[in-house]
Structure formats: structure tokens, C-alpha cells
Amino acid sequence: MTRTSTTLRFGLLLTLANGFLDAYTYLARGGVFANVQTANVIFFALNTSQGRITSALAHVWPLLAFIAGVGLASHLKSGRVERYLK
């Protein structure tokens, strides 16, 4: 039996969902990508290399928020927070 997470159908579904979220966040949220950070890194580098520092900085904040979110999620999942709440 094939697991759902390893099928081509599941991969296509994830690709479509990710593409939709990329398009939505870019068009509706001021030209930044909020769910996939690779594009923010690319646009930051392109804008910086073209001397458009203000445009480049618009892509830094989503990256910092993403890093902070990953750190917070990792900290919460580690179980260390539960020791402080008991």
C-alpha cells in the first residue's frame, strides 16, 4: 500500500497550494512572500545588488518574522516551556 504522503497526487496538491499562497501573499500583502522564504531572500539579494535598499528591506521583515516563529515553535515543542508552567 502506498502512503499518501509519497504519492504524486499529494505532491501536486502541495505544489498547487503553495503556488496559490505565494501568489496571494505577493499580490495582496505588499509584494512580499509570507509563506516561502526563498523568494524573499532572492528579492532581497536582487534589490540590494541593484542599489534599491528600501525595496530590499521590505523583504527582511518577513524573514526575521519567519526565523522568530521557527525559534518559538522549536522552543515550545522542546518541552522546556511546560516545566515553567507547572
Side-chain angles (χ1 to χ4, degrees):
M1 179 172 208
T2 304
R3 296 183 64 170
T4 304
S5 62
T6 60
T7 63
L8 178 60
R9 183 178 62 194
F10 186 71
L12 290 174
L13 179 64
L14 286 177
T15 302
L16 289 172
N18 189 42
F20 170 78
L21 289 172
D22 275 344
Y24 170 76
T25 58
Y26 187 78
L27 295 173
R29 300 292 177 204
V32 295
F33 291 93
N35 73 325
V36 177
Q37 300 309 310
T38 305
N40 283 318
V41 173
I42 291 169
F43 283 140
F44 173 76
L46 286 173
N47 288 328
T48 301
S49 69
Q50 295 170 350
R52 298 185 306 195
I53 301 302
T54 305
S55 296
L57 291 177
H59 298 285
V60 171
W61 302 114
L63 289 168
L64 294 175
F66 180 78
I67 292 167
V70 168
L72 179 63
S74 176
H75 183 67
L76 291 173
K77 191 173 180 179
S78 71
R80 289 181 254 167
V81 174
E82 292 176 6
R83 285 184 266 173
Y84 294 115
L85 297 176
K86 289 182 182 182

